[in-house]
Structures are given as structure tokens and as C-alpha cells.
Amino acid sequence: QLYFGEFGCLPTVARRERLAYYADLVGVAETHDMAWANWDYKGDFGIVGYDRETKTNKAPDVELIRALLGEKTVVPAFPAQ
């Protein structure tokens, strides 16, 4: 199996375009049966925010998770109940 390794998008790109970029790349990879991995350049890996001052996790980025895994992806509440 071909591996489409570590793609990401600069945080300076507009939010709408970033989400479309991720959804498009995942769509192409999965259409061609490629394994893939996300890497969010300078964004603390994007799926869960991180507050560097308090050293605590923020809430998951639901929009990004759904762009990567599909619109119907269920994202658990944060913090876990």
C-alpha cells in the first residue's frame, strides 16, 4: 500500500480554505487506497488545541476532525464526561 505521509497547511491560510485543503487531500488519498497522516505545520498538530502558557489541552477542533475523517464523524465531548 502506498503511504501519503505527513501533509499539512500553514495556519496563515484562511480557515475555509484550510479545511477544504485537508478534505481534498484525504479524499484523493482514500480514492486511491493510500494510507495517510496529517501534520499541521506550526499549529500544535491542530486536532486538539494546546495552550502553551497553561500547558493544558483545549477543546478538539471538530471542524478539522470532520474534514479529515468525514462530516458524520462523532467527536466526543471535551473534557470527557
Side-chain angles (χ1 to χ4, degrees):
Q1 181 177 34
L2 187 60
Y3 172 65
F4 180 28
E6 296 188 3
F7 57 89
C9 186
L10 291 168
T12 55
V13 175
R15 177 79 172 163
R16 181 177 170 198
E17 283 77 19
R18 287 185 78 202
L19 294 173
Y21 167 85
Y22 285 116
D24 288 348
L25 285 181
V26 169
V28 169
E30 291 184 351
T31 296
H32 296 285
D33 197 31
M34 290 187 273
W36 57 269
N38 171 58
W39 180 72
D40 193 4
Y41 181 68
K42 291 186 179 177
D44 294 322
F45 295 93
I47 291 176
V48 175
Y50 184 73
D51 186 325
R52 291 175 190 236
E53 290 181 22
T54 63
K55 296 185 173 136
T56 58
N57 288 330
K58 296 182 191 177
D61 185 339
V62 174
E63 289 181 317
L64 178 56
I65 293 168
R66 289 185 176 148
L68 293 168
L69 301 178
E71 288 297 320
K72 294 182 180 181
T73 300
V74 175
V75 181
F78 182 84
Q81 303 295 324

